[in-house]
Each structure stands twice: as C-alpha cells, then as structure tokens.
Amino acid sequence: MIHFKHKRPSSILGLSFEGNRLDVVAVRRSNGSFQLTKTLNATLALSPMTGDPELVGREIRNQLEQAGIREKKCVVCLPQSWALTLHVTLPELAEADVASFLEIEAERGFPNALDTLTLNQSIAVAGKDKQAALVAIAKAQIANMEAALKAAQLRPHSFSLGLPALQDPTEKEGILSLLIGYGSVGLQATCGGGIAALRFLDGGSDAEGGPRRLDADILAREIRITLGQLPEGFQKTIKKLRIFGRGEQARQFADDIQPRALTMGLNVELIDKCSPGHFENVVPREGPLTPALALAVHYLGGAAQPFEYLPPKVNPLQQYFSNQVSSQKLVLAGGVVGFILLCVLGIFGWQQWQISRLESQWNGMKKEVEGLKFSQKQIRRFRPWFDESFHSMTVIKKITEAFPQDGSVTAKSLELRGNSIVTCTAIASDSPSSIKLLDKLRAIKGVAKVNLEQSRGLPPNILITFNLQWEGENSNAN
C-alpha cells in the first residue's frame, strides 16, 4: 500500500463560529514566526447551526471576498454549543481496559447513540486520581459544517474546539480556564497533562445580539460546582483561574470574579492579547488572542489537537492507487483460489484411482484371504484353553512358601491381577513377623518389588496389606 504524507501549508485561515458570529484570521508562517495578515469579524444572517448549508456557505464566501481574503485552506473552531460532554472518574484499571471502560460509560452517559457521534477523550492525572473528559459532536452537525464550507469554496484541514486550542491540555499545572464568547462561556479544568473537565455555559446576549455583562455570581457558582465534582487530588492541584476574552467585557468580568475566586483558592489571570508566554511568536505581538488564531497557529506549528472532529479524507491519487492495488489483489486472490481448487480436484482424482487399483488387487486375492481366515478360526476353536506353564498356580505356590510355618503370619486374601501384580492381605501376630515375611518375599526369584501398602491394628491382630510384582523365574530380579 502506498502512503502519502500531507505537507503542512505555509498559510491558513482560522474560522470560529458561535451563534451567528463568524471570526476569521489569516495566518502565514515565516521563519519560525506566525504573521497575522488579515482578520474578519462578521455577523451572519443565517446561523451555521440551523441554516441551509448551501446558503450559509455562499454568505461566508461573500464575507471573505468583501474582506479581500482569498485563502482556501482553513481550520475551524466548531460552535461550543454543539459539544456534548461527560466526565468519568477512572478506577484502577489496566491500560488495555481503559478504552472499553470509557466506551461503556459513553454509551450510558450520552443521550445519542455512539454511532451518530464523533467522540474524543482526554485523561488527566492528579496523584492517584484519574479523570477522563469525553467530548462528542453529532456527525450530522459535522456534515452540515463540511457542506457549508464546501459551498464557501473552503477546504477544511481540522475541526476542533476553541477553548482546548487556547489552553494547552498537555500543561502539567492545574488551571481552570474560562473562554468568554459572544453567546456562551467555556470552562475547562486542565491538570496533569490532560483535561479533567470541560463545560459550556450559556452566556446570553442582549436584544441587539451582542454580548451582555456576565453575572460573576452565577459563574462563580458554576466554577464551585465544577471543582466540587472533581476528585480530591484535582481540587488540591488547581490553583489558577485563567480567563480568555477580549474588550471591556472580559476585563470587567475578571475584576468582578477575582474576590470570589480568591475565596476558592484561585488566582485570577486575564489573557486577552498574544503576550509573551502565550503565542509569543505571533506578529503583531500585542494583537488580540482568539480561538481561531490559536487553532491556526497550532496547526501551522504542527501541534496536534486533543479533540479532532474532521472525518479523515482520502487523497484522490491514493484512492486511485488503492483501487488499482485492490483490483490486482482481487485477480491474484482469484488465481490462488482457482489453483487451490485445481489441486483439490487433482488430489481427489488421484485418491479415486488409488482406490480403484486397490479394489482390483483385493478382488484377485479375496478367495485366498477367506480361506486363511477360515483356517485361523478353526485353529482358535480347537487350541487348548489352558496355559501349560501353570502361571497362576506357580505364583501362589511361591508366595505361600514364604509364609512362616508357625502361623505367626496367616493369609486372609490373595488377588492376582493380570499376570504380574499380586495383592495380599494377611494377619500378623507381631511386627517383626510381618517384616520378616516381606524380606522373604523380596528374596524370591521372580519377584521384582514388594510394597507394604497398609499396616494397622495391635498385636496379636495386625492387619497388613502388601503387593508385589511378579516377573517370572527367568527374570534377573532377586
């Protein structure tokens, strides 16, 4: 199979959708830095979530053309309201069992069937505690977004979420992040190299469709609930509240939430620009920091996103070669099957010829064989039934002669199994007499070994059971 490597482009568009709001940034990579070349902030007449994809795509194309943006390749921050989230505390499990455990939890926790969702996950660790954040988006919504972008003559390279793009999920420090959007607020708990919790809250808007002042008390309550639902190890680790937002609304909210965050042990940090330490290679450096910009910079820089929702695409050339290889494989497989069938038929034909040849030979000797069988039958009929060597009597005689004449040991039962194993039960008046008997048996020529199986009782009634192996007087045994 031929594999094709996709080369990272040098420029790309970052798109972010929220409600009817569209944010676009054009970013170019040059000499290790990322240059913000154009921006577009527009309110669409049609919502990407509910509008006809063809009409939404045409409106997006018109907005791009009016802004003088001609780039076709893009990465997209999907609307936060599309995401379905589920948080699962992981028990002690082997690594091989984690995936199946999370799949079962997803089937139980999400309202939709898993085959209708595109599911991603991130696992955070704090000491012995492990927490997984499962984030799913309906495949139908992803398909509508693809159709709208196609109508807008755009080629998507990635579908992701804005908040994980802004706040690096692989950061080890415990951070609670807030993304203040136009119609919603994203909340993410990052700890131990993963996302422990991800929620999207309704931020509301005024009558004119713009953002309204956020209620710090309500959001402080949601932060407290989120922290309370985390395992204890995460609660002790998260010590910072990082706010991503732009304009006076974000600054006012940061001032309002700060005293409430301090009561929860959280230090507030507002990030609204590409300051050093956060996308420090972006030009211009003090420019606004948005989810679309963050996702575009990550993609051009080669950083993988934890939540990727764009269905995999097959390169047309790769598809052509795959079809060619598949056709050749099909022809080869047909030839192999035909060869195997031919071999099987040949084997059965050779077997039938062998059977025919043997039947001919049997017919030629059948009368002679039947005569021999009749002669053997007569020989067996008139052959003496007894053994002239008196084997059994000889064995019994040899054993009997070993018993003492004074009656200190008397036989109770004697059993001969086959032609070699003898089991005997006897009563001895004392232990020395029984030991003496066994020694005399071992000295008999033809006895291979003597084993004492049982000895119980008290003198003068000691019950002993022993067995011996008879090999015949012609053996070398003593």
Side-chain angles (χ1 to χ4, degrees):
M1 180 64 67
I2 299 174
H3 297 276
F4 294 86
K5 292 185 178 180
H6 296 280
K7 183 180 178 181
R8 291 273 175 178
S10 60
S11 62
I12 202 161
L13 294 181
L15 280 70
S16 176
F17 293 92
E18 189 173 358
N20 286 34
R21 188 74 181 183
L22 169 64
D23 288 343
V24 182
V25 293
V27 182
R28 177 176 297 276
R29 181 180 58 183
S30 177
N31 298 325
S33 64
F34 303 95
Q35 184 177 6
L36 182 61
T37 58
K38 291 196 176 191
T39 62
L40 169 64
N41 305 112
T43 301
L44 302 177
L46 298 174
S47 171
M49 293 181 285
T50 58
D52 180 80
E54 184 70 25
L55 299 178
V56 172
R58 290 179 186 176
E59 186 177 6
I60 294 173
R61 171 43 51 192
N62 292 334
Q63 293 285 352
L64 294 176
E65 289 178 351
Q66 291 175 11
I69 299 175
R70 291 183 170 82
E71 179 64 59
K72 304 294 185 181
K73 300 180 288 293
C74 67
V75 291
V76 181
C77 293
L78 298 175
Q80 296 184 143
S81 59
W82 286 8
L84 303 174
T85 60
L86 179 67
H87 308 130
V88 179
T89 301
L90 293 175
E92 291 292 334
L93 290 173
E95 288 296 329
D97 298 330
V98 172
S100 58
F101 174 79
L102 291 179
E103 184 178 356
I104 293 173
E105 291 297 315
E107 290 178 349
R108 294 171 53 188
F110 285 120
N112 306 68
L114 288 188
D115 57 356
T116 65
L117 301 175
T118 299
L119 179 64
N120 283 286
Q121 67 188 41
S122 180
I123 298 177
V125 180
K128 295 183 179 180
D129 295 327
K130 289 184 179 181
Q131 175 107 341
L134 306 180
V135 185
I137 295 180
K139 292 181 179 179
Q141 293 174 318
I142 296 174
N144 287 340
M145 180 62 73
E146 283 190 285
L149 294 176
K150 183 178 180 181
Q153 302 174 19
L154 296 176
R155 296 195 299 272
H157 285 225
S158 176
F159 284 169
S160 190
L161 297 172
L163 184 50
L166 287 166
Q167 176 57 59
D168 185 6
T170 62
E171 188 168 337
K172 299 297 182 181
E173 182 183 5
I175 298 175
L176 193 68
S177 305
L178 287 178
L179 171 59
I180 301 176
Y182 289 97
S184 64
V185 176
L187 189 154
Q188 173 180 307
T190 307
C191 182
I195 296 175
L198 186 63
R199 300 178 61 196
F200 302 107
L201 313 173
D202 183 15
S205 61
D206 60 18
E208 297 178 356
R212 67 186 179 191
R213 181 171 177 175
L214 298 173
D215 191 322
D217 289 328
I218 293 177
L219 286 177
R221 177 177 176 273
E222 295 296 337
I223 291 173
R224 190 176 294 107
I225 291 173
T226 301
L227 291 175
Q229 292 174 344
L230 294 176
E232 184 177 357
F234 292 93
Q235 298 179 23
K236 295 179 179 179
T237 304
I238 297 175
K239 298 298 181 183
K240 182 182 292 186
L241 176 61
R242 181 172 290 168
I243 301 173
F244 295 96
R246 291 176 288 172
E248 184 61 28
Q249 182 198 28
R251 288 189 289 272
Q252 183 63 50
F253 173 73
D255 293 338
D256 293 342
I257 200 71
Q258 185 168 7
R260 298 166 177 82
L262 290 176
T263 61
M264 293 181 277
L266 301 175
N267 296 317
V268 177
E269 178 186 14
L270 174 63
I271 298 178
D272 57 353
K273 298 179 181 179
C274 299
S275 57
H278 297 90
F279 303 96
E280 57 185 5
N281 293 329
V282 176
V283 179
R285 292 189 174 181
E286 295 299 318
L289 179 59
T290 64
L293 175 62
L295 187 60
V297 170
H298 279 311
Y299 183 81
L300 291 179
Q305 289 298 307
F307 302 123
E308 178 57 63
Y309 296 97
L310 182 65
K313 304 298 181 185
V314 180
N315 187 291
L317 188 59
Q318 183 178 3
Q319 182 67 40
Y320 170 77
F321 280 107
S322 298
N323 292 337
Q324 292 296 319
V325 172
S326 299
S327 300
Q328 293 176 6
K329 286 184 177 180
L330 185 60
V331 172
L332 180 60
V336 171
V337 171
F339 176 74
I340 292 174
L341 289 176
L342 183 62
C343 291
V344 171
L345 291 175
I347 291 172
F348 276 106
W350 178 81
Q351 184 184 38
Q352 191 62 36
W353 175 78
Q354 288 281 73
I355 292 173
S356 231
R357 184 176 62 85
L358 293 175
E359 285 181 350
S360 298
Q361 293 179 0
W362 168 249
N363 292 331
M365 64 175 72
K366 184 175 181 180
K367 292 183 179 180
E368 297 179 3
V369 171
E370 289 179 351
L372 289 174
K373 286 183 178 180
F374 178 77
S375 300
Q376 289 178 350
K377 182 178 179 181
Q378 293 297 98
I379 292 172
R380 286 194 295 270
R381 178 182 178 186
F382 296 106
R383 178 182 293 166
W385 59 270
F386 55 85
D387 186 358
E388 295 180 355
S389 64
F390 306 104
H391 173 75
S392 300
M393 299 300 295
T394 301
V395 174
I396 295 173
K397 179 175 179 294
K398 291 292 184 181
I399 295 174
T400 303
E401 290 176 348
F403 277 78
Q405 297 295 326
D406 58 3
S408 58
V409 183
T410 58
K412 185 176 181 181
S413 65
L414 185 67
E415 180 181 359
L416 178 62
R417 299 175 183 174
N419 293 325
S420 59
I421 303 301
V422 179
T423 301
C424 180
T425 303
I427 297 177
S429 58
D430 50 45
S431 295
S433 299
S434 62
I435 295 173
K436 186 176 180 181
L437 171 64
L438 296 177
D439 291 339
K440 288 182 67 176
L441 289 170
R442 292 188 181 98
I444 296 175
K445 186 177 181 180
V447 175
K449 57 183 178 180
V450 179
N451 296 323
L452 178 62
E453 290 187 349
Q454 185 180 15
S455 177
R456 58 188 177 88
L458 300 173
N461 294 312
I462 300 176
L463 180 65
I464 62 172
T465 302
F466 61 88
N467 60 57
L468 58 87
Q469 183 174 348
W470 177 264
E471 292 188 351
E473 296 184 357
N474 294 331
S475 68
N476 295 327
N478 293 328

